[in-house]
Every structure is written in structure tokens, then in C-alpha cells.
Amino acid sequence: MTMTLARLDLDPFDEAFLADPYAHHGAIRDAGRVVWLDSIGAYGMAHYEDVRRALRDHETYCSARGVGLADFAKEEPFRPRSLLLEVDPPLHNRTRSMMNGIVSLKALKQFRPLWKEKAESLIDELVGRRRFDAVSDLGEVFPMMVFPDTIGLMDEGRELLLDYAAIVFNAFGPRNAVFEECNRGKEGAIDWVAQACKREYLKPGGWGMQVYEAADRGVCSHDEAERLVRSFLSAGVDTTVNGISHLVLALAEHPDEYAKLRANPRLAVKAFEESLRWDSTVQTFFRTTTREVEVAGTVIPEGAKVLLFLAAANRDPARWENPERFDLDRNASGHVGFGFGIHQCLGQMVARLEGELIATALAERAAAIRLAGPPLRRLNNTLHAIESLPVEVTPA
Ligand code: OVV
């Protein structure tokens, strides 16, 4: 039996969609388990079970042909491919195990006291001001206080990390106006990152240098090391910047949930996890089929691009009760905001630690958080990003 494939006349990268993706996910899910997106010439899946199955089945849904719209089998990658994100096993097994050894629980345990102190002093200062911008004064600030030092990056030019990440995440989408405008005049960021990844610019003791030390031991080549350091810089900043900003947005828009967190700051870990489910920073990634595959009666041919709507899966009513509600009583584990399967986020423990420390410091210091103006979105082809989030807090 063959089913007629649902064709959707919807562009998941146009400005209306990117500005409010959640307004459109229902239409994609309702159209079918698999949809054909004419606008981009790719298939799409937005149901939780299907997204999860595709992420788990990395042999059928591969990453080595790119996790953006561009098919690396047919076109040159936007930049030399990531040796983690854009490769399949067996190469992926080697690079990922090596990086897992560096981004370890043990390393994070060692950072916690210093990061906690930094989170507390930042929140002290912001709560003292009563009004602040949760993006430019907090979301963009805290990761920059902890992450570049963890990598051991050179001091000069660090602010370019944000421009670079925006470029990388935009490049997973089509070459639309969002992509072009973001890239305009930003060659400096790309050049800076290329330099910052080189051994001679990295400080001793950081995760960057540890990648080169693994290369010294023969685990990878020195050229590979340089590219692996680039992964830290690409994936480690804009993701946590927006993750923390969304956490504050969630808390400000849900005073009852904030009251629960205030009453029990140990809910901080849950609050961050639920905020990622509720508003997923990384909205989508593509995979490419390595063979013909049938999904719910639809045959997807070999070599097809499939857009996986992670954020839609995280609000699929078939999986989550009242999915639109940010709810600290919910068990958010199983969300795919960090992906799933062999490519699941390498830095998720870093992100969780940053989120937990900010949520705890806020809960201990602010009796209430309110929006002090409308949140302003910044459009990105992959990230759900915030440009500005004015808030007002009542000191505890
Ligand atoms: C998850 C992610 C996003 C962007 C870049 C990379 C990874 C990378 O490995 O370069």
C-alpha cells in the first residue's frame, strides 16, 4: 500500500516561520508523519516518535552528508566539515570518545565552585539593578564568563564567538536573506575563530590544549585537533546564550512555576531541562537517507534530506500533556532538545551546569521576575534566538 505523501506549502526557513516556529508545528504534525516541503525540496518529520527513531537510526539517517540543507555529496560544505557533527561511524566513534574524555563529569565538578561564584556575583549585581536585559546583561554574559576560559581561548576578540556561532547555525538552512544578512561584514569572526583554534593561541590547561595533547598521544592528527577545537567554539556559546535567555523567559512568563522554584531552589536542574523542552534553542537538524526507508506508509528514497523538527517533537501532544505549558512538575527527560543517539550534545553537561547555577542564583535572590517589555526575537535558520528580553525583578 502506498499513501499519498502530504505536501506542505510552508517554508520552515521563511521569516514568519522563524519568528514564531511554534505557531506552525501543529500544521506540520497534522499534515502527516512524513511531509514533503516543496519550498526546500526536503522531507520533514515533526512527531516525537518519528524524530526520535530517525535520530537513533544513524545508519539510515546519516550525518556525513551534512546536517543542514546542503547535501555534502553534491555540494561543497560551507566550511570544512565538523569531525563530530558531520561525520558517521567509524570516524565519529573515534572523535567522539576522545572529546568525551575531555568534556568529563570530573572536569565539570572541578569548575562548579568557581562558576557558582561567578553566577552569584552576576545575579547579585543584576538583581541590585532591578531592571536588566536578560539577553545582553545575562544570557550573553554568563557563558562568556565561563566558557572561553574553559577552552583556554586567547583573550582578544572573544566577543566574535557570538557572530561566528550565528553564522554557523544559519548555514544549516538555505542561503536566504537571514543567512546573507548575518554573514555580511562578518569575515572577521570566521578568521578570528580559525586563528583561535590553533595550538599556539591556546592557553595551557584548557580543553582546547587537551585536544592537541590527545593528538600528541596519536589519538588524532594535529589537523583534526584544530577542527575539533572549532567544534567547541561553534556549538558552545550561542546555544547556552539562548538556553539561559529562554530559561528566564519561561520563568518570567510563568510566575506560579517561578514560585515553585523559589520555594525549592533544588528544582533548578528541572527548570532548565523543562525550559529546553518548552523552547528548544536548536529547533531543527537535517539528516540524509542512506537507503530507501518507509515511515508510516510513506517511502522516502535514498539520498533525501529529512528535516527533523526537534522543537516540534518536544511539544508533540502525543508525547507531552499540555505541551505548551512550562511546568516544573513535569518530567521533561526524554526531550530531544539535546538531540538523541550517537550525536547527542557533547556539551549538555556544561549547558546544564550553567543553567542550573543561573536558575539557583536567581531563585535565591529574586522574589519575582516580570517582563518589563516585549521580548525581541533574532531570526536564525536553526536557533530560536532572543535579541532582547527586558525584565524587572523584586529583590528577595
Ligand atoms: C552541534 C553543533 C553545532 C554547530 C557546530 C558543531 C556542532 C561543530 O561540531 O562544529
Side-chain angles (χ1 to χ4, degrees):
M1 188 189 81
T2 49
M3 304 228 317
T4 34
L5 174 63
R7 291 171 169 271
L8 258 191
D9 181 27
L10 161 161
D11 179 356
F13 298 98
D14 75 17
E15 300 195 3
F17 192 98
L18 295 177
D20 191 6
Y22 292 104
H24 305 277
H25 289 158
I28 306 171
R29 278 191 307 261
D30 292 349
R33 300 264 302 273
V34 181
V35 300
W36 172 254
L37 298 160
D38 230 357
S39 55
I40 56 170
Y43 294 81
M45 294 188 207
H47 290 257
Y48 177 84
E49 282 306 330
D50 299 322
V51 168
R52 230 171 119 94
R53 189 177 316 100
L55 290 172
R56 185 168 39 218
D57 185 1
H58 56 85
E59 289 181 359
T60 305
Y61 298 90
C62 82
S63 290
R65 287 169 74 166
V67 297
L69 179 59
D71 183 352
F72 292 179
K74 297 177 186 151
E75 36 186 315
E76 199 59 24
F78 171 70
R79 52 178 200 154
R81 74 176 65 218
S82 163
L83 297 173
L84 289 163
L85 185 72
E86 295 157 337
V87 295
D88 293 327
L91 173 56
H92 179 265
N93 301 340
R94 176 164 66 83
T95 53
R96 179 65 188 237
S97 338
M98 189 195 123
M99 297 295 271
N100 282 342
I102 297 171
V103 185
S104 66
L105 261 177
K106 189 170 152 244
L108 281 168
K109 219 169 145 174
Q110 179 201 322
F111 293 135
R112 178 183 270 272
L114 177 65
W115 291 17
K116 181 169 182 278
E117 223 177 273
K118 292 189 177 206
E120 290 173 349
S121 69
L122 176 63
I123 300 296
D124 270 339
E125 195 246 315
L126 294 176
V127 171
R129 275 159 53 180
R130 289 177 184 241
R131 256 171 179 267
F132 60 92
D133 190 304
V135 178
S136 58
D137 298 327
L138 173 56
E140 290 182 351
V141 172
F142 186 61
M144 293 299 284
M145 287 169 79
V146 298
F147 191 71
D149 285 340
T150 300
I151 306 304
L153 287 183
M154 60 183 182
D155 296 305
E156 204 192 312
R158 286 178 172 195
E159 69 284 353
L160 295 170
L161 283 170
L162 279 167
D163 285 341
Y164 182 72
I167 292 169
V168 169
F169 281 100
N170 270 324
F172 296 125
R175 300 296 171 255
N176 54 12
V178 171
F179 169 88
E180 297 295 347
E181 274 161 38
C182 171
N183 274 276
R184 190 168 304 141
K186 299 284 171 58
E187 297 77 10
I190 296 174
D191 294 345
W192 182 85
V193 164
Q195 186 178 35
C197 292
K198 291 190 184 298
R199 187 174 201 152
E200 56 268 40
Y201 292 95
L202 288 164
K203 298 181 186 180
W207 287 356
M209 191 59 83
Q210 287 178 41
V211 176
Y212 281 96
E213 286 159 0
D216 292 343
R217 295 192 302 272
V219 183
C220 67
S221 74
H222 289 88
D223 286 347
E224 287 173 326
E226 192 174 319
R227 196 97 64 84
L228 287 165
V229 175
R230 193 193 66 181
S231 285
F232 283 141
L233 277 49
S234 308
V237 182
D238 216 358
T239 48
T240 50
V241 162
N242 286 291
I244 291 170
S245 302
H246 282 142
L247 168 72
V248 179
L249 176 66
L251 296 173
E253 284 188 349
H254 300 80
D256 293 352
E257 302 309 300
Y258 187 65
K260 286 182 199 163
L261 175 63
R262 279 273 296 154
N264 180 11
R266 283 163 172 271
L267 288 173
V269 177
K270 278 195 100 173
F272 185 64
E273 213 61 33
E274 170 66 353
S275 78
L276 272 174
R277 182 202 66 80
W278 178 74
D279 201 328
S280 306
T281 302
V282 176
Q283 289 273 310
T284 53
F285 268 130
F286 288 86
R287 292 291 190 261
T288 313
T289 53
T290 57
R291 61 174 177 92
E292 186 180 283
V293 56
E294 192 207 297
V295 177
T298 297
V299 175
I300 305 177
E302 182 276 331
K305 281 282 170 179
V306 183
L307 182 55
L308 302 176
F309 289 89
L310 309 177
N314 284 340
R315 289 199 190 183
D316 180 354
R319 171 62 179 80
W320 312 95
E321 212 173 299
N322 293 325
E324 317 298 324
R325 215 186 114 68
F326 171 74
D327 180 359
L328 293 192
D329 292 323
R330 170 199 316 279
N331 181 2
S333 65
H335 75 77
V336 291
F338 286 125
F340 186 61
I342 64 168
H343 290 279
Q344 192 175 43
C345 181
L346 169 67
Q348 59 186 284
M349 293 181 303
V350 183
R352 285 199 182 101
L353 179 56
E354 290 182 24
E356 177 200 339
L357 294 173
I358 292 299
T360 309
L362 266 176
E364 290 170 349
R365 285 161 183 78
I369 308 179
R370 295 170 294 282
L371 292 183
L376 196 66
R377 288 279 165 192
R378 155 166 72 90
L379 301 191
N380 184 283
N381 283 331
T382 301
L383 302 177
H384 200 210
I386 320 186
E387 176 76 37
S388 168
L389 179 60
V391 294
E392 190 178 11
V393 300
T394 311

